[in-house]
Amino acid sequence: VRYARSEEDGSICVTASRKLVINSLPSITYGAKGNAQLLLRYGFCLDSNIEPDGSTNDVLEFRPKPSHPVVELRTGPKSYTFGGLVKALELFHESASEKCSSMDGKSITNDYDDMETFLHSCDIEEDTDFELYGLDGEDNHPDEDGIVLEDSTLEVECRILEEFVSALQKMESKYSLCGKELEDSLQSRACLSRHYSALLVHSELQTIHFYAAAAKSIIQKLQKLEGPKDEGKGEESQMTRLLVDDLVTVFIQIRCPNYMIN
């Protein structure tokens, strides 16, 4: 299709690029786009912008400091979340290493495209074992993938995770649309601009809570602490909990292969 704006009234004229059969129903595919893109380009948002595999098309742009690059975070299976989590943690690695200067921490840099491809295949074949990453203690190649942590850096990793959680909490505190006002705006469509704003905020808050829960759970496991049991409410919460647990498990298996999950 072609778009043209009218100079008279500002309306948009949409013209088909090919002939259409009379009485046929024109349709358009928007593709897998987040609500922010849908709102900007087409003027609407979806109440539930989630794919059948549990992944969301909405993206949270995470940048704790202006000098940091933007890291895109989204919720879903581990093939969508692991790479984003590791890239976000990288933003805190230098400062956390300085705080643990008595330890021999190392910087972790790598292109995660291959890793995310591998994790995606794991979602299809859940019986894949992780001996590839050295769980048997005989085939650990940190220099090849650049992301395996030694036992001596676990304290640094916990500090990084704590800083990540703090940054997420600070990010959450900056939303002016929250609490009952947010809930009311989600339920009411009387003002669509308000409703769509609420959908965007709600989606970003869900992503913040997802990664904060994952980071806290990883810290608890690495420090062998007893964490609070989250029973969850409803199917959505249970699904989210499963996805969080899946991310926590694969994170520890890959980053800390010598650590045994209780």
Side-chain angles (χ1 to χ4, degrees):
V1 295
R2 295 190 300 274
Y3 299 90
R5 180 185 294 275
S6 170
E7 296 182 358
E8 296 181 0
D9 58 8
S11 61
I12 302 296
C13 178
V14 182
T15 305
S17 57
R18 60 181 176 82
K19 293 182 178 180
L20 301 176
V21 179
I22 297 177
N23 295 326
S24 64
L25 181 65
S27 60
I28 186 171
T29 299
Y30 295 100
K33 292 181 174 60
N35 272 332
Q37 292 176 297
L38 291 175
L39 182 60
L40 178 64
R41 297 183 182 182
Y42 306 109
F44 71 93
C45 290
L46 299 175
D47 291 345
S48 180
N49 198 3
I50 299 176
E51 298 295 334
D53 65 353
S55 63
T56 178
N57 292 313
D58 294 332
V59 174
L60 173 70
E61 294 187 349
F62 178 74
R63 185 170 63 175
K65 295 182 180 179
S67 59
H68 287 156
V70 172
V71 175
E72 294 186 346
L73 300 177
R74 57 188 295 194
T75 62
K78 56 182 175 284
S79 56
Y80 295 93
T81 58
F82 176 78
L85 175 59
V86 174
K87 291 175 183 178
L89 296 181
E90 271 296 286
L91 302 179
F92 303 96
H93 191 272
E94 183 177 350
S95 61
S97 298
E98 291 174 355
K99 293 179 182 179
C100 294
S101 56
S102 61
M103 301 176 59
D104 186 20
K106 68 176 182 178
S107 179
I108 306 165
T109 56
N110 190 54
D111 183 350
Y112 299 97
D113 291 341
D114 291 340
M115 181 60 65
E116 292 183 20
T117 300
F118 167 75
L119 290 172
H120 181 67
S121 69
C122 289
D123 289 328
I124 300 174
E125 301 181 48
E126 285 296 337
D127 59 342
T128 302
D129 67 53
F130 285 85
E131 289 186 357
L132 173 64
Y133 297 98
L135 289 182
D136 58 357
E138 297 177 359
D139 192 24
N140 190 4
H141 302 291
D143 291 335
E144 291 184 8
D145 54 41
I147 60 174
V148 176
L149 293 181
E150 301 295 335
D151 290 340
S152 60
T153 64
L154 289 183
E155 184 179 343
V156 174
E157 189 76 344
C158 287
R159 287 182 179 273
I160 291 171
L161 289 161
E162 289 168 355
E163 289 193 24
F164 177 53
V165 172
S166 296
L168 289 173
Q169 292 172 340
K170 182 178 180 181
M171 190 175 186
E172 180 179 1
S173 68
K174 293 183 178 181
Y175 286 94
S176 58
L177 185 58
C178 56
K180 187 177 184 303
E181 186 179 1
L182 174 60
E183 293 300 323
D184 291 344
S185 298
L186 285 171
Q187 298 299 324
S188 174
R189 299 178 65 91
C191 178
L192 282 180
S193 61
R194 189 74 170 176
H195 178 67
Y196 291 155
S197 296
L199 288 175
L200 293 174
V201 171
H202 180 65
S203 174
E204 292 192 357
L205 289 176
Q206 284 186 316
T207 304
I208 289 174
H209 297 161
F210 179 94
Y211 283 92
K216 290 177 182 178
S217 182
I218 293 169
I219 293 172
Q220 289 166 1
K221 289 184 180 296
L222 293 182
Q223 296 182 342
K224 296 180 171 62
L225 300 176
E226 284 292 332
K229 294 183 178 180
D230 180 13
E231 300 296 336
K233 297 181 180 180
E235 182 179 350
E236 182 177 347
S237 295
Q238 291 177 4
M239 172 61 74
T240 299
R241 186 69 254 176
L242 288 174
L243 294 174
V244 168
D245 290 343
D246 201 23
L247 174 58
V248 171
T249 299
V250 75
F251 181 91
I252 293 179
Q253 286 178 323
I254 293 177
R255 299 270 289 192
C256 314
N258 296 323
Y259 177 86
M260 299 302 294
I261 302 176
N262 293 329

